[in-house]
């Protein structure tokens, strides 16, 4: 299925982006509590809220895929690794999807 190189890239992306997951999950819990205790003042339903937060995660994750490499200065290291660029792209985009 996936080569070991792709599996390592997916694991690296998971570790890099788990703070985003935790932050969005925390935000969703807080917004649900606000909605539960003040239903009249919070007119957004939870389905649309989940869709918006999913979109925010997708945009943030996509931006972090490649900008994070140049920010952490690991893009030069990734170019030197002995695997094809297709494996790198498959691992990064496969995780994001």
């Amino acid at each position: 299925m996936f080569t070991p190189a792709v599996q390592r890239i997916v694991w690296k992306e998971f570790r890099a982006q788990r703070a985003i997951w935790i932050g969005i999950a925390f935000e969703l819990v807080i917004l649900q509590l606000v909605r539960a205790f003040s239903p009249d003042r919070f007119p957004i339903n939870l389905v649309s809220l989940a869709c918006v937060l999913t979109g925010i995660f997708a945009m943030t994750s996509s931006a972090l895929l490649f900008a994070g490499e140049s920010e952490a200065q690991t893009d030069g290291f990734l170019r030197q690794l002995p695997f094809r660029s297709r494996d790198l792209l498959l691992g990064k985009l496969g995780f994001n999807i």
Side-chain angles (χ1 to χ4, degrees), residues 17-65:
Q17 295 186 16
R18 73 178 152 201
I20 298 171
W21 291 9
I22 292 169
I24 287 181
F26 181 73
E27 183 180 357
L28 187 59
V29 167
I30 294 297
L31 289 173
Q32 285 179 353
L33 289 174
V34 168
R35 170 104 165 103
F37 291 117
S38 62
D40 297 334
R41 297 183 196 147
F42 200 72
I44 301 172
N45 76 24
L46 294 178
V47 174
S48 62
L49 185 64
C51 290
V52 167
L53 288 177
T54 301
I56 289 172
F57 173 75
M59 289 186 300
T60 307
S61 179
S62 298
L64 191 63
L65 278 179

Side-chain angles (χ1 to χ4, degrees), residues 39-96:
D40 297 334
R41 297 183 196 147
F42 200 72
I44 301 172
N45 76 24
L46 294 178
V47 174
S48 62
L49 185 64
C51 290
V52 167
L53 288 177
T54 301
I56 289 172
F57 173 75
M59 289 186 300
T60 307
S61 179
S62 298
L64 191 63
L65 278 179
F66 297 103
E69 299 299 340
S70 63
E71 193 68 30
Q73 298 177 346
T74 56
D75 51 349
F77 173 71
L78 286 175
R79 284 191 206 111
Q80 295 175 356
L81 290 177
F83 55 82
R84 297 180 298 224
S85 60
R86 182 180 65 91
D87 290 341
L88 177 67
L89 192 63
L90 179 66
K92 285 182 164 290
L93 292 179
F95 173 78
N96 199 24

